[in-house]
Amino acid sequence: MRKVVSRDGTTIAYEKAGEGPPIVLLNGSFRDHAIFDALVPELAPRCTTYVYDRRGRGESGDSPEYAVAREIEDLEAVIQEAGGSAVVFAGSSGANLAIEAALAGAPITKLALHEPFYRVDGYPKPPWNVAKTLRVLMEEDRREEAVEYFLGSFLGLTPDTVAEWRKGPIWAVNEANAHTLAYDLAICGDCSVPADRLAGYTTETLVLNSDSTSAWLRAAAQATAAALPNGRALELPGSWHRINMDVLGRALAGFAAP
């Protein structure tokens, strides 16, 4: 992978592919750049893609003290590699991070978001002590329990669903990146849609959700789009918290076009 150095000296690993307008792909909880392995080929004929490992994951470095501002700087460093400005697509908690970066003035030409982790009225918020509980589990190196706790208490998955996830091939990646869940919780804050701040963000923004996702994720996507002066909501075919890659690729390539 290629490397760029973020403002605090942390090395961020990224890959570049394709031809056309630049688009930076930003992943959510647990994942590294490999989550976009199926999406990049859909985009590469029409876009230059930049996918990177968020700090603490994959081949990227990390710092002793975490701050959301450092992750914003990481994204800005990758955007600089893309020519100084770029379209950004981000999903899950990565969408929350992209929003914070956009509001902080990152050079984003267009913003595409997939199901940010917000909770609107009518849907319960995660337990108030979720961050503390997760921190205790990680201090005791109880990674498996930390992953299960995050999936159940924060994402609201049922025990049966979590048990099915444990049988899947990505469970080992979940445990390996469990220490970064605290980063995502810091990014999400109290999970409220920052409507007052979004009201001043005028960059064109596309907010996506799957037609088979959870009701709270659909509501969060719609509320985010509604809060943006130049926001547009779009529902696409898929499954829980996932849009079919061919459909997503076409939508993003069209959105990224000048």
Side-chain angles (χ1 to χ4, degrees):
M1 297 183 72
R2 306 180 186 212
K3 302 292 175 67
V4 64
V5 179
S6 194
R7 184 176 300 179
D8 72 343
T10 300
T11 299
I12 303 299
Y14 74 95
E15 290 184 347
K16 174 184 176 182
E19 295 183 2
I23 180 169
V24 177
L25 309 181
L26 176 59
N27 61 274
S29 305
F30 295 115
R31 305 293 169 246
D32 56 24
H33 76 282
I35 191 67
F36 297 117
D37 283 355
L39 180 58
V40 167
E42 301 289 341
L43 291 173
R46 297 175 61 185
C47 301
T48 303
T49 61
Y50 293 79
V51 297
Y52 71 98
D53 290 339
R54 286 172 54 191
R55 63 174 53 209
R57 313 175 195 212
E59 295 186 29
S60 287
D62 206 351
S63 56
E65 298 295 330
Y66 179 80
V68 176
R70 303 292 81 76
E71 285 225 64
I72 292 174
E73 291 166 359
D74 299 345
L75 174 58
E76 290 175 334
V78 176
I79 292 175
Q80 189 61 37
E81 292 290 290
S85 62
V87 176
V88 170
F89 168 66
S92 308
S93 58
N96 297 60
L97 174 58
I99 286 171
E100 293 304 317
L103 295 176
I108 297 171
T109 57
K110 294 180 182 179
L111 182 61
L113 307 168
H114 174 227
E115 298 183 6
F117 283 169
Y118 293 130
R119 299 296 202 286
V120 302
D121 291 344
Y123 296 94
K125 291 188 176 182
W128 65 270
N129 63 340
V130 62
K132 180 180 179 180
T133 301
L134 189 64
R135 183 174 65 251
V136 170
L137 291 172
M138 288 308 305
E139 286 174 349
E140 298 175 356
D141 199 29
R142 295 157 62 186
R143 287 179 172 265
E144 182 176 0
E145 292 177 59
V147 172
E148 292 177 343
Y149 178 75
F150 181 87
L151 294 175
S153 296
F154 188 78
L155 291 188
L157 300 184
T158 66
D160 287 345
T161 300
V162 174
E164 285 300 312
W165 279 38
R166 287 184 60 183
K167 301 174 185 177
I170 62 172
W171 188 262
V173 177
N174 291 351
E175 290 192 25
N177 290 328
H179 60 285
T180 64
L181 294 175
Y183 304 173
D184 293 299
L185 291 179
I187 291 163
C188 294
D190 69 356
C191 293
S192 297
V193 178
D196 290 346
R197 293 191 295 145
L198 291 176
Y201 186 69
T202 58
T203 297
E204 184 178 359
T205 303
L206 178 65
V207 188
L208 305 166
N209 69 269
S210 159
D211 61 2
S212 299
T213 198
S214 299
W216 69 269
L217 287 167
R218 177 181 292 106
Q222 293 172 347
T224 301
L228 289 157
N230 202 9
R232 176 166 61 96
L234 180 62
E235 185 167 275
L236 295 173
S239 53
W240 181 83
H241 202 38
R242 184 184 184 279
I243 295 170
N244 294 344
M245 286 296 106
D246 57 338
V247 176
L248 178 59
R250 289 194 297 271
L252 290 178
F255 180 68

